[in-house]
Amino acid sequence: MLEVAYQKYQEDVEVLALNPTDGAEAVKAFRENNGLGISMAACPRSWAHECGVSAYPTSVFIDRNGVVCLIHVGAITTSYTWERVFDAFVGEDYQQKTYTSVEQILG
């Protein structure tokens, strides 16, 4: 679902999927085998721990000013939800805000 939303918003958002459990070759193969356009990379397990990631998947949303505005633990399972979240951050009327949940964005 993320890939579907990313294809729609790729001119306005950047997505980087980090994988602390598989090596670089496995991550590359997964991306290629699934025809994904989002950027993906392997990272050390220590990175996830240092950033406070306690479960997978975890999505970290960083706004256009480089501020972490939302950390969502768990899967986002619809492209509609991804699109609404992207809309919240790319709109011309964007005002910086910190969210505690995706539900706050969805209203």
Side-chain angles (χ1 to χ4, degrees), residues 23-102:
E25 289 302 316
V27 171
K28 180 180 177 183
F30 178 83
R31 183 175 184 261
E32 290 173 357
N33 291 339
N34 289 285
L36 300 174
I38 62 173
S39 299
M40 300 179 82
C43 69
R45 286 181 191 258
S46 61
W47 176 88
H49 179 70
E50 290 171 17
C51 293
V53 174
S54 60
Y56 302 105
T58 294
S59 299
V60 179
F61 296 88
I62 303 170
D63 75 1
R64 63 183 78 178
N65 302 309
V67 175
V68 174
C69 292
L70 171 63
I71 299 174
H72 176 79
V73 178
I76 297 175
T77 59
T78 68
S79 59
Y80 171 80
T81 302
W82 281 110
E83 290 173 18
R84 291 285 306 274
V85 171
F86 290 163
D87 281 339
F89 292 107
V90 302
E92 289 184 27
D93 60 344
Y94 173 74
Q95 293 183 3
Q96 193 170 50
K97 180 179 178 182
T98 302
Y99 298 92
T100 58
S101 70
V102 169

